[in-house]
Amino acid sequence: FEYHLKEARKLLVKAWELHPEFPEAPREMITVSTGESEEHGETPRMWFDRAVAAQFDYEPAYDTLLWSLMPRWGGSHEQMYLFGLECLDTGRFDTFVPGRFLDALATIKRRDHQDYWELPQTYKHCKAYFEGRINQPVFGDDKWHKSLYAATAWHCGHYDDARKIMDEMGDNLKKTAFSSFYSTNFGQAKDMVYAFTGPCRDHVSEAEKLYKAWDLAKALQLYKMIAVDTKTDTPTVSYAKERLAVLSMEEGFHRDEWVDLSPDRGFNGWHPYGNGWSVESDGSVKLTYSKRAYLLCDADFGDDYEFKGEMEVVTSPGKQAAIGGLLTDSIDAVYFLSVLMEISGSSVNRVSISKNFNSKEKKSMEITGEGSKYTFLLHKMDGKVTFYLNDKKVFDKIGIYDDLDMEHYRCKKSIGLCIYSASPGTVIRYKGLHVKRLT
């Protein structure tokens, strides 16, 4: 590795000396200097400055420097944040450069789950970016960034700004700005914005204050009142029903009861990703073929719990279904627990456990499937996972997150159902979903 770095240095430095007006060589030297010691008296930032001196809007240089500032390479979240802020302060809204501030925030959250979006000054900087970008004539009527402005205002809790933009844009609003950048369902985000800006805003704000103070009984009482009040607007009623479902599950969970997680037909308290999810008349959840889909519970069940239920393989040409507790974040699912049950015909023949779908570090167990119906129980305690299928222990105290510093992962831990890489014609049914706190 060191030999190749030295050889790369020789060639790249020579290339830059011959043509300092080209940004490519100094951009590559950002990577080389990141991997080297400081024996040459050079830093990644020095080579970045040389790259952008050649071409201010040379995008690979910005990407590479932000990468070099990650903690894994000796940088820090603070340095990443400040670099993004420096990009914003250029004021060059005719280029992509100021938008690197949003990229820095997203990268910090996605890679390390440290939420710099929560800093009081962050929204002020985001607002400056969007106002500068949207008012830049070169981009015309930039509906995407206007929509992302609304999504960011929602994400940062500035609901009045979000409401104003959403109302102004009407049908021109790009709903995917909410899902692609913040991994949230637009309908739920819209209900939340309207609830906090509508006629019941004071009651909604008070209910959330009670929730944060962990006075669940009073918060539930207030949301019940909001939900049945005939003067309440439709989005606020929808938001109140969602919060009632979540708070009811969390209240039962903290009483150390087995909590029934069965969703209603509106999936209140749940967040469906992908198509094909439905709730049948008996309360079971059915998933009709989708290449990849999640159904995550919106309630926060912390780190230690038991999650149980029943799974029926109605039809399957032979790919995979999955259930499990998941560790997710609001931008991108980087690490999560997945228990994948590979199906042949209608029987499970292999169970795998890993910290994401594509992880090479997975543990698998061949089993002999028995019919099309299975009970499952996932026991998660102190970072160790034990899994039972049809009352038979398949995995015992597997340390899925042993290589992660879980102090960094302050995001809400969700549990849910998923399907991955299923073939057309697959139909899976789940029922009897329950969770219980472990102490």
Side-chain angles (χ1 to χ4, degrees), residues 308-311 341 373-377 387-392:
K308 69 178 182 179
E310 300 174 34
M311 182 186 81
M341 286 172 281
K373 296 182 179 180
Y374 298 85
T375 62
F376 63 83
L377 186 146
F387 184 71
Y388 297 84
L389 194 66
N390 286 346
D391 298 322
K392 296 179 181 178

Side-chain angles (χ1 to χ4, degrees), residues 367-427:
I367 67 170
T368 301
E370 300 173 356
S372 62
K373 296 182 179 180
Y374 298 85
T375 62
F376 63 83
L377 186 146
L378 185 145
H379 177 108
K380 186 166 178 280
M381 184 77 173
D382 297 328
K384 307 291 184 182
V385 175
T386 300
F387 184 71
Y388 297 84
L389 194 66
N390 286 346
D391 298 322
K392 296 179 181 178
K393 186 183 293 184
V394 181
F395 296 111
D396 187 23
K397 297 180 180 178
I398 302 295
I400 288 297
Y401 302 120
D402 285 351
D403 61 336
L404 301 179
D405 182 358
M406 296 306 293
E407 291 299 317
H408 288 299
Y409 291 76
R410 298 184 294 107
C411 56
K412 184 180 76 173
K413 316 298 193 298
S414 299
I415 65 173
L417 311 172
C418 54
I419 193 166
Y420 175 66
S421 192
S423 299
T426 300
V427 178

Side-chain angles (χ1 to χ4, degrees), residues 57-97:
D57 61 347
Y58 186 60
E59 193 166 2
Y62 291 85
D63 294 338
T64 307
L65 184 64
L66 184 61
W67 168 81
S68 76
L69 294 174
M70 290 181 180
R72 65 183 295 186
W73 302 117
S76 68
H77 299 136
E78 181 70 12
Q79 288 175 321
M80 296 171 71
Y81 182 84
L82 291 175
F83 174 64
L85 195 56
E86 186 180 352
C87 292
L88 175 62
D89 288 343
T90 65
R92 287 291 306 274
F93 295 105
D94 58 326
T95 70
F96 70 87
V97 173

Side-chain angles (χ1 to χ4, degrees), residues 11-287:
L11 296 172
L12 290 169
V13 170
K14 184 63 175 178
W16 172 73
E17 289 173 345
L18 289 171
H19 289 285
E21 72 276 17
F22 294 158
E24 289 84 358
R27 177 261 177 179
E28 295 291 347
M29 277 302 298
I30 298 172
T31 301
V32 172
S33 58
T34 299
E36 291 180 323
S37 63
E38 297 182 0
E39 61 181 288
H40 298 283
E42 300 169 353
T43 63
R45 179 55 192 251
M46 185 188 79
W47 286 105
F48 168 80
D49 289 339
R50 289 173 175 173
V52 299
Q55 182 183 329
F56 176 77
D57 61 347
Y58 186 60
E59 193 166 2
Y62 291 85
D63 294 338
T64 307
L65 184 64
L66 184 61
W67 168 81
S68 76
L69 294 174
M70 290 181 180
R72 65 183 295 186
W73 302 117
S76 68
H77 299 136
E78 181 70 12
Q79 288 175 321
M80 296 171 71
Y81 182 84
L82 291 175
F83 174 64
L85 195 56
E86 186 180 352
C87 292
L88 175 62
D89 288 343
T90 65
R92 287 291 306 274
F93 295 105
D94 58 326
T95 70
F96 70 87
V97 173
R100 281 297 180 265
F101 177 65
L102 293 185
D103 292 336
L105 291 169
T107 301
I108 292 169
K109 181 74 183 292
R110 182 171 61 249
R111 295 285 183 175
D112 297 298
H113 294 253
Q114 296 294 301
D115 202 346
Y116 273 62
W117 294 99
E118 296 178 355
L119 296 178
Q121 68 271 26
T122 291
Y123 181 67
K124 177 188 73 173
H125 298 313
C126 290
K127 189 168 186 176
Y129 166 66
F130 286 112
E131 295 290 347
R133 168 79 187 206
I134 290 168
N135 292 319
Q136 180 58 236
V138 70
F139 296 116
D141 186 13
D142 191 346
K143 294 183 177 65
W144 168 257
H145 275 85
K146 288 180 181 177
S147 302
L148 188 56
Y149 190 1
T152 301
W154 161 79
H155 184 67
C156 293
H158 289 259
Y159 305 117
D160 287 326
D161 284 357
R163 174 73 179 266
K164 182 174 182 292
I165 300 165
M166 292 166 71
D167 287 348
E168 287 176 352
M169 295 193 69
D171 293 339
N172 290 320
L173 185 78
K174 304 294 184 182
K175 299 177 182 179
T176 52
F178 288 78
S179 59
S180 64
F181 208 84
Y182 297 110
S183 297
T184 194
N185 176 277
F186 170 73
Q188 290 180 331
K190 181 181 178 181
D191 289 344
M192 186 175 184
V193 167
Y194 277 65
F196 277 95
T197 58
C200 295
R201 61 188 301 168
D202 292 338
H203 289 316
V204 173
S205 296
E206 179 61 25
E208 285 304 302
K209 287 179 181 177
L210 290 168
Y211 171 70
K212 290 178 181 178
W214 207 242
D215 193 341
L216 293 181
K218 289 184 179 179
L220 280 165
Q221 184 179 8
L222 192 50
Y223 272 124
K224 287 176 182 177
M225 182 192 74
I226 295 169
V228 300
D229 191 338
T230 56
K231 297 179 181 179
T232 305
D233 57 295
T234 300
T236 301
V237 170
S238 296
Y239 181 71
K241 289 180 178 179
E242 164 72 15
R243 296 302 287 153
L244 279 170
V246 171
L247 270 59
S248 296
M249 287 187 282
E250 291 184 1
E251 184 186 41
F253 183 75
H254 287 277
R255 288 201 302 263
D256 297 331
E257 302 173 350
W258 276 108
V259 178
D260 187 351
L261 300 181
S262 302
D264 59 24
R265 294 200 170 185
F267 285 103
N268 286 304
W270 290 80
H271 195 144
Y273 295 84
N275 300 318
W277 294 104
S278 63
V279 177
E280 300 191 300
S281 58
D282 64 353
S284 60
V285 179
K286 185 173 77 171
L287 177 57

Side-chain angles (χ1 to χ4, degrees), residues 288-319:
T288 304
Y289 166 69
S290 180
K291 185 174 182 180
R292 181 179 298 189
Y294 310 89
L295 181 62
L296 300 182
C297 187
D298 291 328
D300 190 348
F301 298 126
D303 295 306
D304 301 324
Y305 55 81
E306 285 189 326
F307 176 39
K308 69 178 182 179
E310 300 174 34
M311 182 186 81
E312 178 185 1
V313 183
V314 181
T315 60
S316 175
K319 285 291 184 179

